[in-house]
Amino acid sequence: MARFYEQHGRRPRRAAGLAAAVAMTAGSAVMLTAPAAHAEVVDVNYQCKTPIGNKGAVSPIDIKSTPSGGAYKLVMSFQKGVSSSPVELGKGAMTPSALIQLGGAESGTVPVSGPPNDKAIPANTPIKISDLSGTYTPKGSGKVTFTASTLTIKALGTTTTCTPSNHPQPSLTLDVKGAGGSGGSTGGSATGGSSGGQLPQTGPADSAIALGTLGGTVLLAGAAGVLWLTRRHQRA
């Protein structure tokens, strides 16, 4: 009897170890298939041509992305104000927009825009730019960089154009897969504005979720096997 338990008592432990190993493997697969992205805050030296002369200001720029269907929603954030107005800008008097320069596996620009100022901007003070958003749809596949480009400020019937003068580094890098799937340098399509609902997510993010679900199913199956073996030996 002692030999029976010595020989057969190992099976539940082996099954439990196998189930744990499968769970760890599934978890590793989820981590490896997660979408690759790298973002950092980059200082951008804007030189602005205003109706009353040239002005300059440095603002840290942050660009973030969120998968949305086969596209990405981009949000460009300014951590400091740029340019200024000699007169007060009342609520809703100023509307900002910008371009994000694509690089790497794609070329072209993505237009982004934001809502008018939600409160008055005092005269001769830096103009705080609200978050600007737009949509980027990849055409090719590979690593794509996103760099702050021209900023446009419209206020009181005037237009101020601000251009980066310090050749800033990319604020965001994405590893994308476009509809063509062949990679290379192709122009990406994009639409500006922050309106519109979120589309169901597909692609790398959903693949990670699917693998996670599969790993959970395998883990449950392993646990059921352990329970069956345990009950079998108890009856024996």
Side-chain angles (χ1 to χ4, degrees):
M1 181 64 70
R3 179 175 299 178
F4 175 86
Y5 281 108
E6 181 180 353
Q7 293 177 349
H8 298 281
R10 296 177 183 175
R11 293 184 180 179
R13 291 196 297 271
R14 289 179 180 176
L18 177 61
V22 171
M24 292 177 62
T25 303
S28 300
V30 171
M31 293 177 63
L32 290 174
T33 57
H38 174 72
E40 60 180 307
V41 179
V42 176
D43 287 339
V44 179
N45 187 348
Y46 279 108
Q47 296 300 311
C48 304
K49 296 184 179 297
T50 78
I52 60 172
N54 297 335
K55 297 188 176 184
V58 176
S59 176
I61 300 295
D62 179 27
I63 301 176
K64 294 181 180 179
S65 67
T66 303
S68 179
Y72 293 86
K73 179 181 178 182
L74 302 179
V75 177
M76 182 179 183
S77 302
F78 293 73
Q79 296 188 7
K80 290 184 179 180
V82 298
S83 191
S84 62
S85 171
V87 298
E88 180 180 280
L89 299 178
K91 180 180 179 179
M94 183 273 296
T95 303
S97 62
L99 295 176
I100 297 175
Q101 183 71 46
L102 299 177
E106 297 261 28
S107 62
T109 58
V110 178
V112 290
S113 60
N117 55 305
D118 58 358
K119 59 182 179 180
I121 302 174
N124 300 314
T125 60
I127 297 176
K128 178 66 173 72
I129 306 298
S130 60
D131 287 351
L132 310 181
S133 62
T135 302
Y136 160 69
T137 303
K139 292 294 186 180
S141 298
K143 291 188 180 299
V144 179
T145 61
F146 300 80
T147 306
S149 187
T150 306
L151 168 68
T152 302
I153 301 172
K154 293 185 177 181
L156 303 178
T158 66
T159 300
T160 295
T161 303
C162 303
T163 305
S165 63
N166 62 332
H167 303 289
Q169 296 297 312
S171 296
L172 174 68
T173 301
L174 289 178
D175 194 354
V176 304
K177 184 175 182 180
S182 58
S185 179
T186 58
S189 63
T191 55
S194 57
S195 60
Q198 290 268 340
L199 298 175
Q201 292 188 15
T202 60
D206 283 349
S207 299
I209 295 174
L211 282 172
T213 304
L214 175 62
T217 303
V218 174
L219 176 60
L220 288 175
V226 172
L227 181 61
W228 180 80
L229 287 172
T230 302
R231 290 181 175 178
R232 180 181 178 185
H233 288 308
Q234 287 177 348
R235 288 197 300 269

